Amino acid sequence: MTDIAETSLPAAGDPPEIVREEEAFHIPDDLAQALTEFAAVEQLSRGEAICLVLREYLRVKGYLKGAPVV
């Protein structure tokens, strides 16, 4: 399963505040399946599941301060 996520880069000649969506990344099939199952069990959208996993990982690693999200 492939998931497309995009990041933004300004086009040549565009003012800095104008940004375009262009870059994609691939989620390996095993991670995509686990994410789908996690989202279904937790009754979250795929985007919410991704944010929850990233938030908790970054919090545990010390990159994000604050209490865990319940």
Side-chain angles (χ1 to χ4, degrees):
M1 177 180 271
T2 300
D3 191 18
I4 306 278
E6 299 174 341
T7 58
S8 302
L9 299 172
D14 281 347
E17 69 275 6
I18 297 178
V19 183
R20 299 229 163 101
E21 308 290 320
E22 295 180 7
E23 186 179 321
F25 69 92
H26 171 77
I27 296 176
D29 290 343
D30 60 335
L31 291 179
Q33 181 62 38
L35 179 63
T36 298
E37 291 175 20
F38 172 69
V41 168
E42 299 297 323
Q43 298 181 349
L44 301 168
S45 71
R46 188 178 176 113
E48 291 169 327
I50 290 169
C51 287
L52 182 62
V53 169
L54 284 173
R55 181 177 291 113
E56 183 61 11
Y57 177 84
L58 293 172
R59 188 190 64 75
V60 167
K61 291 291 191 172
Y63 295 105
L64 185 64
K65 304 298 180 215
V69 177
V70 179

